[in-house]
């Protein structure tokens, strides 16, 4: 049983260095917007490369739609920076190279004893870090698609933007 | 709160004064100032040369800042703010860094010519989480945020 929260529960306010090494918190990064939070195996995983390349298609929409995206992996910041540049990503990567939150959230990928990475898991969060929907992505089709993310961000925006419906 | 800078051929001053007056992200002045920083000022020669924030070249400069510039600067980045003349016109940007940094790689230098000045006026403001570029109209990027929803707890 994973220690990571489920829908309706509060997600912990992660405190980790970003891809530049600057200390960040999840609530600071959310900054009042709906948030897509992805726990990723790392740059070396072909599934992660494919999935993040797919979700990066949403960047242009997200940046004008007041939504955020954050990726957490166990890669060190300098590796994340290179991976991020290769993706053409403008979103933030958080580095849990010490696996501090990985342990707390009980999201260890147990089948990979070499890298000891995160088990692919995604969350759509309200601005206060309440989990809207959780995706267990051990199997690739369990991960959120672009359509899933667009639906979730619409639903969250409807909840938190008082003037969403006029 | 609105914060201003005034830019002339000789440099810039915080506040409203001689030269081109533009609004900046007020958070850049609200913390402990970083001494001996460098401000790379990319600014229009006059208000008539300002661009609309919606122009593709302005949007792309902000995207490139998020994608490349902020990453390469890392901890050397103190803060960044666009220069807003009003709710729609962008007169450039100021990027504040620790130590001397060339403005050649500044994406805003594609919009307006860069000049570097030593400054003690600005504080650290972390770059925003991506990929947001749009915020309130009239609030210089990357500043501004929505007020908390009554049901939303922003501060733990």
């Amino acid at each position: 049983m994973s220690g990571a929260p489920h829908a309706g529960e509060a997600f912990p306010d992660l405190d980790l260095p970003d891809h530049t090494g600057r200390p960040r918190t999840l609530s600071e990064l959310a900054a009042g917007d709906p948030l897509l939070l992805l726990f990723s195996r790392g740059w070396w995983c072909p599934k992660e490369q494919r999935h993040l390349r797919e979700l990066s298609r949403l960047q242009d929409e997200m940046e004008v739609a007041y939504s955020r995206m954050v990726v957490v992996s166990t890669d060190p910041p300098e590796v994340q920076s290179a991976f991020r540049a290769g993706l053409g990503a403008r979103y933030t990567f958080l580095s849990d190279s010490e696996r501090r939150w990985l342990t707390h959230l009980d999201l260890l990928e147990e089948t990979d004893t070499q890298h000891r990475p995160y088990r692919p898991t995604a969350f759509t969060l309200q601005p206060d870090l309440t989990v809207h929907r959780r995706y267990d992505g051990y199997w690739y089709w369990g991960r959120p698609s672009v359509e899933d993310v667009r639906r979730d961000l619409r639903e969250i925006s409807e909840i938190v933007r008082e003037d969403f419906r006029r | 709160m609105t914060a201003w800078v005034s830019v002339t051929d000789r440099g810039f001053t915080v506040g409203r004064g001689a030269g081109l007056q533009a609004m900046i992200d007020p958070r850049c002045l609200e913390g402990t100032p970083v001494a001996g920083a460098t401000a790379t000022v990319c600014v229009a020669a006059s208000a008539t040369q300002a661009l609309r924030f919606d122009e593709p070249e302005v949007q792309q400069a902000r995207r490139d800042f998020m994608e490349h510039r902020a990453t390469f600067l890392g901890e050397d980045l103190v803060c960044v703010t666009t220069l807003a003349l009003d709710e729609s016109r962008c007169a450039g940007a100021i990027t504040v860094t620790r130590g001397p940094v060339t403005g050649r790689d500044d994406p805003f230098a594609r919009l307006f010519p860069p000049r570097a000045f030593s400054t003690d006026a600005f504080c650290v403001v972390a770059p925003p989480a991506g990929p947001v570029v749009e915020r309130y109209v009239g609030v210089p990027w990357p500043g501004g945020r929505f007020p908390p929803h009554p049901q939303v707890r922003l501060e733990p």
Side-chain angles (χ1 to χ4, degrees):
Chain A
M1 184 68 181
S2 172
H6 290 262
E9 298 175 347
F11 204 93
D13 193 8
L14 308 181
D15 55 335
L16 290 167
D18 68 12
H19 56 274
T20 69
R22 189 186 294 258
R24 309 298 287 263
T25 64
L26 200 57
S27 58
E28 167 208 342
L29 295 174
D33 291 329
L35 177 71
L36 170 61
L37 175 64
L38 297 149
F39 290 90
S40 169
R41 287 194 182 107
W43 69 272
W44 43 268
C45 177
K47 297 181 180 68
E48 302 299 336
Q49 294 174 15
R50 183 66 192 89
H51 190 228
L52 288 177
R53 200 172 295 123
E54 180 74 6
L55 293 182
S56 294
R57 289 170 44 211
L58 273 177
Q59 284 190 119
D60 289 358
E61 285 183 75
M62 293 179 79
E63 71 185 3
V64 297
Y66 308 108
S67 302
R68 314 267 181 161
M69 184 169 167
V70 170
V71 176
V72 184
S73 76
T74 56
D75 292 332
E78 58 272 24
V79 173
Q80 291 184 327
S81 273
F83 183 35
R84 181 178 179 271
L87 290 167
R90 300 188 292 277
Y91 43 86
T92 301
F93 280 63
L94 294 176
S95 172
D96 190 13
S97 57
E98 297 176 351
R99 293 163 178 77
R100 186 163 47 89
W101 280 104
L102 184 153
T103 305
H104 182 83
L105 294 168
D106 192 17
L107 286 179
L108 175 67
E109 174 72 276
E110 292 161 328
T111 57
D112 185 341
T113 55
Q114 178 184 350
H115 298 95
R116 295 195 301 122
Y118 271 98
R119 186 168 63 249
T121 313
F123 301 85
T124 46
L125 303 178
Q126 296 186 18
D128 68 346
L129 307 186
T130 298
V131 176
H132 182 73
R133 192 166 276 121
R134 167 178 166 155
Y135 298 86
D136 292 300
Y138 178 73
W139 291 93
Y140 188 86
W141 293 123
R143 302 174 188 208
S145 66
V146 166
E147 291 75 17
D148 291 327
V149 174
R150 190 181 280 120
R151 177 201 59 208
D152 287 4
L153 295 178
R154 182 188 299 122
E155 290 173 353
I156 296 171
S157 296
E158 190 168 3
I159 293 169
V160 301
R161 312 293 191 205
E162 287 180 305
D163 52 356
F164 190 83
R165 291 194 181 277
R166 291 176 179 248
Chain B
M1 175 190 167
T2 304
W4 295 81
V5 294
S6 304
V7 188
T8 67
D9 292 340
R10 296 182 176 180
F12 72 92
T13 55
V14 173
R16 306 191 73 164
L20 184 72
Q21 298 178 18
M23 292 178 284
I24 62 171
D25 182 352
R27 297 176 303 162
C28 298
L29 303 174
E30 290 174 351
T32 305
V34 176
T38 300
T40 302
V41 182
C42 303
V43 63
S46 67
T48 57
Q49 294 183 10
L51 299 167
R52 300 285 174 184
F53 278 105
D54 289 342
E55 296 285 351
E57 56 265 49
V58 179
Q59 300 249 0
Q60 192 59 42
R62 290 188 291 185
R63 288 174 179 144
D64 288 346
F65 189 91
M66 288 294 297
E67 188 175 339
H68 302 298
R69 185 65 169 163
T71 303
F72 289 151
L73 289 172
E75 284 294 310
D76 285 340
L77 175 66
V78 175
C79 61
V80 62
T81 175
T82 53
L83 301 172
L85 295 184
D86 51 33
E87 292 185 346
S88 66
R89 289 183 299 165
C90 173
I94 297 178
T95 304
V96 184
T97 53
R98 292 184 174 87
V101 175
T102 174
R104 286 185 304 175
D105 299 325
D106 192 323
F108 294 105
R110 298 198 301 256
L111 308 179
F112 305 108
R115 287 179 293 159
F117 303 102
S118 179
T119 179
D120 301 327
F122 295 95
C123 65
V124 173
V125 180
V132 171
V133 296
E134 300 290 352
R135 303 304 302 179
Y136 285 121
V137 292
V139 178
W141 183 86
R145 63 187 294 175
F146 288 102
H149 185 273
Q151 297 175 354
V152 170
R153 171 185 55 83
L154 283 174
E155 306 299 337

